[in-house]
Amino acid sequence: MSPVEQTPTRQAASDAVGGQGWRYLLGALRTSVPVASLGQAAEVVARAAAACGDDADGHLRADVRSDRVVLTLQALDRAALTARDLDLAHRISTTVRDLGLRTEPEIGTGAPRSVQLLEIAVDALDIAAVRPFWKAVLGYTDEAGTGGPTDPIVDPVGQGPTIWFQRMDRPRPQRNRIHFDICVPHDEAAGRIEAALTAGGRLVSASDAPAFWVLADIEGNEACVTTWQGRDD
């Protein structure tokens, strides 16, 4: 495998692009570019794609709105981050600056929220038995590079969140069986948790922090705030 196709460590990935306004979010880089119009947003995407060259189709995804463009970098055929993506992030940030705009994670800017990734976790005693149902009912497919009976499933057009499956060791009929994982920038986690607690939530567990914190609403429905940190062996 060539050096540009190798997967950097989580720390190396975060360090390499943090100063450029990108955040590493569990296998992908993400940033936001505030814009003044849909036309300007389209120009940002065109320039970003041009900066990526032949790598654009295999690495770059864009969510285009009239007020912002959210850009994501990842080796799409592997659902993994590579050294090439780090280089592409720097190229895109440079071309965005040439437009008089900026790439940023929207932390502390007054934006509605920071960049993030949303996943949904389904708890199951027999993952292989329930996975086909969720794959069919959602119109999902196997995540790139996977396909095993317990692997995550993804929206083939990239609009919905990843669904992953967590094995239970015993039935828990009184516990919610589906929960959200909200992957936030590592420097946004404390603020997001504080906001959730202020809004009436409670901290269930921080034993695996900073990889994830388990929170719950007043009725016990759980959600995890997650980051890339604390996951390297």
Side-chain angles (χ1 to χ4, degrees):
M1 182 182 295
S2 66
V4 295
E5 302 304 330
Q6 293 180 354
T7 300
T9 66
R10 297 176 176 91
Q11 185 69 63
S14 180
D15 291 345
V17 297
Q20 297 293 316
W22 296 76
R23 289 296 183 271
Y24 174 73
L25 298 172
L26 296 183
L29 300 180
R30 181 162 287 190
T31 192
S32 181
V33 182
V35 296
S37 67
L38 192 59
Q40 190 176 50
E43 184 177 7
V44 167
V45 174
R47 294 287 192 94
C52 293
D54 293 340
D55 293 318
D57 290 343
H59 290 261
L60 178 65
R61 287 175 292 172
D63 180 350
V64 182
R65 306 295 174 95
S66 60
D67 60 343
R68 63 175 43 78
V69 178
V70 177
L71 300 172
T72 304
L73 286 168
Q74 183 185 65
L76 300 178
D77 62 343
R78 295 166 51 192
L81 188 74
T82 66
R84 188 185 302 275
D85 296 298
L86 303 181
D87 175 61
L88 296 178
H90 286 277
R91 290 195 221 169
I92 291 172
S93 290
T94 297
T95 199
V96 166
R97 285 196 299 271
D98 290 343
L99 290 172
L101 302 172
R102 65 190 184 279
T103 51
E104 62 175 46
E106 298 202 289
I107 296 173
T109 64
R113 64 163 171 78
S114 62
V115 294
Q116 66 181 29
L117 290 176
L118 175 64
E119 296 183 328
I120 298 176
V122 177
D123 294 342
L125 290 169
D126 187 347
I127 295 173
V130 304
R131 183 178 183 272
F133 166 81
W134 290 103
K135 188 175 178 181
V137 76
L138 293 169
Y140 271 33
T141 189
D142 297 328
E143 187 176 44
T146 69
T150 62
D151 285 330
I153 56 176
V154 296
D155 184 346
V157 299
Q159 293 180 324
T162 295
I163 307 292
W164 68 280
F165 302 89
Q166 179 170 268
R167 190 180 304 280
M168 298 191 302
D169 55 4
R170 60 186 183 277
R172 286 172 285 177
Q174 300 305 315
R175 180 182 182 274
N176 62 299
R177 298 281 293 275
I178 296 177
H179 70 269
F180 296 101
D181 277 8
I182 305 94
C183 179
V184 302
H186 62 281
D187 44 358
E188 168 71 2
R192 186 65 64 90
I193 292 166
E194 181 181 358
L197 297 179
T198 300
R202 62 184 177 87
L203 179 65
V204 176
S205 174
S207 62
D208 291 291
F212 63 90
W213 293 257
V214 182
L215 307 175
D217 67 17
I218 195 170
E219 294 189 359
N221 299 301
E222 294 177 0
C224 294
V225 173
T226 79
T227 77
W228 64 263
Q229 292 182 320
R231 297 172 185 267
D232 286 320
D233 294 331

Tab-separated table of all heavy atoms in Angstrom, residues 156-181:
chain	number	residue	atom	x	y	z
A	156	PRO	N	-27.041	3.919	0.921
A	156	PRO	CA	-26.219	3.895	-0.287
A	156	PRO	C	-26.082	5.245	-0.977
A	156	PRO	O	-25.154	5.438	-1.766
A	156	PRO	CB	-26.930	2.878	-1.193
A	156	PRO	CG	-28.339	2.855	-0.705
A	156	PRO	CD	-28.245	3.087	0.776
A	157	VAL	N	-26.980	6.193	-0.692
A	157	VAL	CA	-26.855	7.524	-1.285
A	157	VAL	C	-26.345	8.550	-0.282
A	157	VAL	O	-26.279	9.743	-0.573
A	157	VAL	CB	-28.189	7.998	-1.913
A	157	VAL	CG1	-28.610	7.058	-3.020
A	157	VAL	CG2	-29.291	8.112	-0.869
A	158	GLY	N	-25.982	8.094	0.915
A	158	GLY	CA	-25.302	8.957	1.871
A	158	GLY	C	-26.152	9.994	2.565
A	158	GLY	O	-25.625	10.974	3.097
A	159	GLN	N	-27.466	9.811	2.597
A	159	GLN	CA	-28.324	10.804	3.251
A	159	GLN	C	-28.644	10.457	4.697
A	159	GLN	O	-28.814	11.343	5.526
A	159	GLN	CB	-29.629	10.957	2.459
A	159	GLN	CG	-29.436	11.583	1.090
A	159	GLN	CD	-30.742	11.718	0.335
A	159	GLN	OE1	-31.620	10.869	0.430
A	159	GLN	NE2	-30.866	12.782	-0.435
A	160	GLY	N	-28.779	9.183	5.011
A	160	GLY	CA	-29.145	8.770	6.360
A	160	GLY	C	-27.939	8.384	7.188
A	160	GLY	O	-26.850	8.148	6.655
A	161	PRO	N	-28.107	8.282	8.490
A	161	PRO	CA	-26.991	7.922	9.381
A	161	PRO	C	-26.633	6.453	9.275
A	161	PRO	O	-27.461	5.610	8.913
A	161	PRO	CB	-27.531	8.262	10.772
A	161	PRO	CG	-29.008	8.080	10.637
A	161	PRO	CD	-29.348	8.541	9.245
A	162	THR	N	-25.393	6.140	9.606
A	162	THR	CA	-24.967	4.751	9.701
A	162	THR	C	-25.732	4.054	10.824
A	162	THR	O	-25.998	4.639	11.871
A	162	THR	CB	-23.457	4.680	9.978
A	162	THR	OG1	-22.756	5.209	8.848
A	162	THR	CG2	-22.992	3.261	10.235
A	163	ILE	N	-26.100	2.793	10.594
A	163	ILE	CA	-26.722	1.970	11.619
A	163	ILE	C	-25.711	0.899	12.029
A	163	ILE	O	-25.177	0.181	11.179
A	163	ILE	CB	-28.000	1.274	11.114
A	163	ILE	CG1	-28.983	2.282	10.498
A	163	ILE	CG2	-28.657	0.477	12.234
A	163	ILE	CD1	-29.599	3.240	11.460
A	164	TRP	N	-25.431	0.795	13.332
A	164	TRP	CA	-24.550	-0.269	13.789
A	164	TRP	C	-25.246	-1.046	14.885
A	164	TRP	O	-26.247	-0.593	15.449
A	164	TRP	CB	-23.189	0.275	14.236
A	164	TRP	CG	-23.193	1.121	15.474
A	164	TRP	CD1	-23.530	2.438	15.566
A	164	TRP	CD2	-22.822	0.710	16.791
A	164	TRP	NE1	-23.401	2.875	16.869
A	164	TRP	CE2	-22.964	1.838	17.641
A	164	TRP	CE3	-22.375	-0.487	17.341
A	164	TRP	CZ2	-22.685	1.790	19.002
A	164	TRP	CZ3	-22.091	-0.539	18.710
A	164	TRP	CH2	-22.251	0.602	19.514
A	165	PHE	N	-24.739	-2.229	15.154
A	165	PHE	CA	-25.430	-3.174	16.028
A	165	PHE	C	-24.559	-3.516	17.229
A	165	PHE	O	-23.381	-3.822	17.089
A	165	PHE	CB	-25.806	-4.434	15.253
A	165	PHE	CG	-26.678	-4.147	14.069
A	165	PHE	CD1	-26.111	-3.861	12.833
A	165	PHE	CD2	-28.054	-4.131	14.187
A	165	PHE	CE1	-26.901	-3.572	11.740
A	165	PHE	CE2	-28.860	-3.840	13.101
A	165	PHE	CZ	-28.284	-3.556	11.872
A	166	GLN	N	-25.173	-3.458	18.391
A	166	GLN	CA	-24.467	-3.715	19.641
A	166	GLN	C	-25.063	-4.955	20.296
A	166	GLN	O	-26.269	-5.011	20.546
A	166	GLN	CB	-24.617	-2.501	20.565
A	166	GLN	CG	-23.954	-2.646	21.915
A	166	GLN	CD	-23.945	-1.314	22.654
A	166	GLN	OE1	-23.011	-0.530	22.568
A	166	GLN	NE2	-25.025	-1.041	23.378
A	167	ARG	N	-24.206	-5.949	20.552
A	167	ARG	CA	-24.708	-7.207	21.094
A	167	ARG	C	-25.030	-7.082	22.583
A	167	ARG	O	-24.231	-6.581	23.370
A	167	ARG	CB	-23.673	-8.319	20.886
A	167	ARG	CG	-24.234	-9.711	21.203
A	167	ARG	CD	-23.183	-10.777	20.973
A	167	ARG	NE	-22.654	-10.750	19.633
A	167	ARG	CZ	-23.253	-11.279	18.577
A	167	ARG	NH1	-24.444	-11.836	18.717
A	167	ARG	NH2	-22.688	-11.225	17.391
A	168	MET	N	-26.216	-7.550	22.960
A	168	MET	CA	-26.611	-7.611	24.360
A	168	MET	C	-26.261	-8.991	24.921
A	168	MET	O	-26.297	-9.995	24.195
A	168	MET	CB	-28.105	-7.370	24.516
A	168	MET	CG	-28.576	-6.010	24.053
A	168	MET	SD	-30.287	-5.685	24.574
A	168	MET	CE	-31.145	-7.061	23.817
A	169	ASP	N	-25.948	-9.030	26.194
A	169	ASP	CA	-25.621	-10.316	26.813
A	169	ASP	C	-26.834	-10.981	27.445
A	169	ASP	O	-26.804	-12.161	27.795
A	169	ASP	CB	-24.507	-10.142	27.852
A	169	ASP	CG	-24.839	-9.093	28.910
A	169	ASP	OD1	-25.965	-8.550	28.872
A	169	ASP	OD2	-23.968	-8.817	29.748
A	170	ARG	N	-27.937	-10.233	27.582
A	170	ARG	CA	-29.163	-10.798	28.150
A	170	ARG	C	-30.326	-9.874	27.787
A	170	ARG	O	-30.124	-8.692	27.484
A	170	ARG	CB	-29.064	-10.913	29.669
A	170	ARG	CG	-28.842	-9.593	30.387
A	170	ARG	CD	-28.596	-9.798	31.884
A	170	ARG	NE	-28.450	-8.538	32.579
A	170	ARG	CZ	-27.314	-7.849	32.637
A	170	ARG	NH1	-26.235	-8.304	32.024
A	170	ARG	NH2	-27.249	-6.711	33.287
A	171	PRO	N	-31.534	-10.369	27.779
A	171	PRO	CA	-32.690	-9.520	27.459
A	171	PRO	C	-32.824	-8.371	28.450
A	171	PRO	O	-32.570	-8.534	29.643
A	171	PRO	CB	-33.881	-10.486	27.571
A	171	PRO	CG	-33.293	-11.843	27.416
A	171	PRO	CD	-31.924	-11.761	28.033
A	172	ARG	N	-33.193	-7.206	27.938
A	172	ARG	CA	-33.412	-6.043	28.796
A	172	ARG	C	-34.694	-5.357	28.337
A	172	ARG	O	-34.663	-4.297	27.714
A	172	ARG	CB	-32.217	-5.088	28.700
A	172	ARG	CG	-30.975	-5.586	29.443
A	172	ARG	CD	-29.768	-4.724	29.165
A	172	ARG	NE	-29.241	-4.999	27.834
A	172	ARG	CZ	-28.214	-4.352	27.302
A	172	ARG	NH1	-27.619	-3.398	27.963
A	172	ARG	NH2	-27.789	-4.665	26.088
A	173	PRO	N	-35.843	-5.935	28.669
A	173	PRO	CA	-37.104	-5.419	28.122
A	173	PRO	C	-37.462	-4.018	28.574
A	173	PRO	O	-38.225	-3.327	27.914
A	173	PRO	CB	-38.138	-6.443	28.612
A	173	PRO	CG	-37.512	-7.065	29.826
A	173	PRO	CD	-36.042	-7.110	29.535
A	174	GLN	N	-36.936	-3.573	29.704
A	174	GLN	CA	-37.273	-2.244	30.196
A	174	GLN	C	-36.288	-1.174	29.742
A	174	GLN	O	-36.428	-0.019	30.087
A	174	GLN	CB	-37.349	-2.262	31.723
A	174	GLN	CG	-38.396	-3.219	32.269
A	174	GLN	CD	-39.766	-2.954	31.699
A	174	GLN	OE1	-40.197	-1.815	31.626
A	174	GLN	NE2	-40.459	-4.002	31.271
A	175	ARG	N	-35.305	-1.567	28.968
A	175	ARG	CA	-34.284	-0.606	28.518
A	175	ARG	C	-34.516	-0.298	27.042
A	175	ARG	O	-34.855	-1.174	26.263
A	175	ARG	CB	-32.887	-1.210	28.715
A	175	ARG	CG	-31.745	-0.304	28.294
A	175	ARG	CD	-30.416	-1.030	28.487
A	175	ARG	NE	-29.275	-0.200	28.154
A	175	ARG	CZ	-28.787	-0.066	26.930
A	175	ARG	NH1	-29.362	-0.697	25.924
A	175	ARG	NH2	-27.735	0.688	26.711
A	176	ASN	N	-34.325	0.981	26.677
A	176	ASN	CA	-34.458	1.295	25.263
A	176	ASN	C	-33.439	0.486	24.460
A	176	ASN	O	-32.321	0.256	24.889
A	176	ASN	CB	-34.262	2.793	25.015
A	176	ASN	CG	-32.883	3.288	25.396
A	176	ASN	OD1	-32.487	3.193	26.545
A	176	ASN	ND2	-32.161	3.825	24.425
A	177	ARG	N	-33.838	0.047	23.278
A	177	ARG	CA	-33.009	-0.849	22.493
A	177	ARG	C	-32.369	-0.150	21.299
A	177	ARG	O	-31.631	-0.783	20.540
A	177	ARG	CB	-33.864	-2.020	22.005
A	177	ARG	CG	-34.453	-2.859	23.146
A	177	ARG	CD	-33.432	-3.802	23.726
A	177	ARG	NE	-33.070	-4.823	22.763
A	177	ARG	CZ	-33.759	-5.951	22.581
A	177	ARG	NH1	-34.837	-6.204	23.310
A	177	ARG	NH2	-33.364	-6.835	21.698
A	178	ILE	N	-32.687	1.093	21.072
A	178	ILE	CA	-32.078	1.881	20.007
A	178	ILE	C	-31.613	3.192	20.620
A	178	ILE	O	-32.347	3.822	21.379
A	178	ILE	CB	-33.071	2.156	18.865
A	178	ILE	CG1	-33.482	0.844	18.187
A	178	ILE	CG2	-32.469	3.105	17.836
A	178	ILE	CD1	-34.518	1.013	17.106
A	179	HIS	N	-30.390	3.586	20.322
A	179	HIS	CA	-29.917	4.868	20.833
A	179	HIS	C	-29.074	5.564	19.778
A	179	HIS	O	-28.579	4.939	18.840
A	179	HIS	CB	-29.129	4.695	22.142
A	179	HIS	CG	-27.798	4.022	21.987
A	179	HIS	ND1	-27.637	2.666	22.098
A	179	HIS	CD2	-26.548	4.525	21.741
A	179	HIS	CE1	-26.367	2.347	21.920
A	179	HIS	NE2	-25.684	3.459	21.706
A	180	PHE	N	-28.922	6.857	19.928
A	180	PHE	CA	-28.142	7.667	19.004
A	180	PHE	C	-26.702	7.797	19.487
A	180	PHE	O	-26.449	7.940	20.683
A	180	PHE	CB	-28.734	9.084	18.883
A	180	PHE	CG	-30.112	9.121	18.285
A	180	PHE	CD1	-31.217	9.264	19.094
A	180	PHE	CD2	-30.294	9.019	16.921
A	180	PHE	CE1	-32.489	9.304	18.559
A	180	PHE	CE2	-31.565	9.057	16.365
A	180	PHE	CZ	-32.671	9.197	17.180
A	181	ASP	N	-25.777	7.756	18.554
A	181	ASP	CA	-24.383	8.131	18.804
A	181	ASP	C	-24.127	9.440	18.064
A	181	ASP	O	-24.276	9.489	16.835
A	181	ASP	CB	-23.415	7.066	18.277
A	181	ASP	CG	-23.227	5.912	19.246
A	181	ASP	OD1	-23.949	5.869	20.248
A	181	ASP	OD2	-22.366	5.055	18.979
